[in-house]
Amino acid sequence: MPPQLPEFHPRTAAEQAANALREALQVGHLPDPLPGEHVLAAHFGLSRPTVRRALSLLAQEGWLTLRKGSRTRLRQPHAPRPTGQRAVCALVAVPTHPHSENPVLAELRRALGPEVAWEVLSDARLASPRPQRRVAALVAARPGVCWVLAGSTPELQAWFARSGVPTLVLGSGTEPGVLPSVDLDYRAVGWHAAGQLLRAGCRRIILAQPPRLLPGDEATHAGLAAYLAHRGEPPPMVLRWPSATAGCATLDRALQSGGKPGFLSLRPLLTLTLLTHLLRRGIRLPQEAALISRDSEPFLQAALPSPARYESTPEARVRRAARILHALAAGTLRPPWPEVRLMPGFTPGQTL
């Protein structure tokens, strides 16, 4: 009786092409969206119908999204991790550093070390009022992953709180105790900034804010308003800045009322626009107006006059965040969830 041989299944050219494409996707060698069928066919030495069937197979497996008349997009743009390796995925819905890598995330990746697989997903669609379907697909594709929410919206935080997957908010939580979080103490920053502006002789306190707010922005406003109420001062005027043109026009109207204005800006780029516009209007800083930037970026150090600002290094936040992530991954962290708040340093600058 002849020996039994393992069952053999010949693979079609489309299946072989699908395997090659799958391997390229796993190691991140293909961009999102994918090149066109003619480019892939030339690269793999196949016909376009074969490539089309291979893409259809990968779409059935959940790797790709195929839409008629649109480029082929990735549905699982991540590489699988070795068995047993811990993994962390940082999810960025609202970038806080739009023109550079988030320094806290970069430092956190180094602090976690090579034994932890690391991935960053930046998806502006998650900032919509209804991110549920999109985020559910991302999480389902990454079982056993610890999540870091950086630049997240209340809706996104609420989804993760309901899901039960291990999650750390690298920022302010929208609701106390719902998720563990590590952030700067923005309420304390608002309180401190109000005192600084009043001591500089400002009679009108103006909060300059972008159109899209984060939980830390609301905490800053609360701290600013609380200190002014404590001192018996009027509440802060809110200067919304939807665009440079509209914002400058609103600022010009605010400058027409009497009294020395004091500005607290919630974004470094907004600080730079305020600074240049005030100087363009011939307003002397800090004699006729004062300006504080709640956050700092390296480019503010080159501005003249140098803006007063709050500055922090990533190290303190990263140390606390890394400890929480290791505990989440090990399953040793349980509610009540920690809420770590750190006060940044204050640099008076030349605008106060």
Side-chain angles (χ1 to χ4, degrees):
M1 184 174 180
Q4 288 187 341
L5 297 176
E7 190 175 359
F8 175 70
H9 296 281
R11 293 184 175 180
T12 65
E15 290 173 330
Q16 295 178 48
N19 286 339
L21 286 168
R22 191 184 301 106
E23 292 176 3
L25 291 170
Q26 288 175 329
V27 297
H29 286 173
L30 287 175
D32 184 19
L34 264 64
E37 291 178 358
H38 63 288
V39 175
L40 293 174
H43 178 77
F44 289 101
L46 300 168
S47 66
R48 289 184 65 180
T50 299
V51 169
R52 189 176 299 118
R53 288 194 294 272
L55 294 176
S56 178
L57 289 173
L58 292 177
Q60 294 173 18
E61 295 176 10
W63 284 92
L64 304 174
T65 298
L66 300 180
R67 292 179 181 173
K68 189 175 181 180
S70 301
R71 300 281 295 276
T72 301
R73 304 301 300 259
L74 304 185
R75 290 184 60 188
Q76 296 180 329
H78 68 288
R81 61 188 184 277
T83 302
Q85 184 183 26
R86 295 178 179 177
V88 171
C89 183
L91 198 58
V92 183
V94 185
T96 53
H97 296 76
H99 302 290
S100 62
E101 183 181 14
N102 186 315
V104 179
L105 288 182
E107 188 65 27
L108 180 58
R109 179 179 187 178
R110 288 190 288 269
L112 291 173
E115 67 275 9
V116 176
W118 175 265
E119 183 182 11
V120 177
L121 294 176
S122 184
D123 192 337
R125 289 172 291 182
L126 296 176
S128 68
R130 296 180 180 178
Q132 293 85 353
R133 178 176 296 182
R134 177 64 178 167
V135 70
L138 294 175
V139 172
R142 295 161 177 80
V145 168
C146 287
W147 293 85
V148 175
L149 304 184
S152 56
T153 63
E155 293 81 8
L156 199 58
Q157 291 187 23
W159 188 93
F160 275 93
R162 292 192 301 268
S163 71
V165 298
T167 306
L168 168 68
V169 177
L170 197 57
S172 296
T174 53
E175 295 185 31
V178 173
L179 290 171
S181 62
V182 177
D183 202 8
L184 299 178
D185 193 338
Y186 286 117
R187 181 181 175 87
V189 168
W191 179 281
H192 183 268
Q196 293 293 318
L197 292 171
L198 289 180
R199 278 191 288 274
C202 299
R203 299 275 64 87
R204 288 180 298 129
I205 309 302
I206 302 174
L207 181 67
Q209 65 182 37
R212 179 179 290 176
L213 297 182
L214 300 175
D217 301 333
E218 298 171 357
T220 306
H221 188 180
L224 189 73
Y227 186 87
L228 294 176
H230 172 72
R231 291 291 302 273
E233 299 287 341
M237 171 186 173
V238 175
L239 177 62
R240 292 179 174 83
W241 208 274
S243 66
T245 301
C248 288
T250 306
L251 175 57
D252 287 337
R253 290 192 293 270
L255 292 173
Q256 293 174 1
S257 50
K260 178 181 177 180
F263 296 90
L264 176 60
S265 168
L266 295 185
R267 297 290 187 276
L269 283 175
L270 183 50
T271 300
L272 189 60
T273 304
L274 281 167
L275 177 62
T276 55
H277 187 70
L278 290 170
L279 295 176
R280 187 173 63 173
R281 288 288 180 261
I283 296 174
R284 295 178 301 156
L285 296 165
Q287 293 86 351
E288 298 173 330
L291 171 63
I292 299 176
S293 181
R294 188 199 62 182
D295 302 323
S296 183
E297 287 282 0
F299 66 80
L300 287 183
Q301 300 175 14
L304 292 174
S306 176
R309 58 196 181 275
Y310 293 89
E311 297 183 284
S312 66
T313 59
E315 286 77 14
R317 277 177 285 173
V318 164
R319 283 195 300 269
R320 306 294 288 272
R323 285 200 292 267
I324 293 174
L325 284 172
H326 282 302
L328 284 172
T332 58
L333 188 65
R334 295 285 187 272
W337 302 118
E339 292 183 272
V340 179
R341 296 294 178 266
L342 305 170
M343 183 66 186
F346 181 64
T347 301
Q350 300 169 318
T351 61
L352 185 65

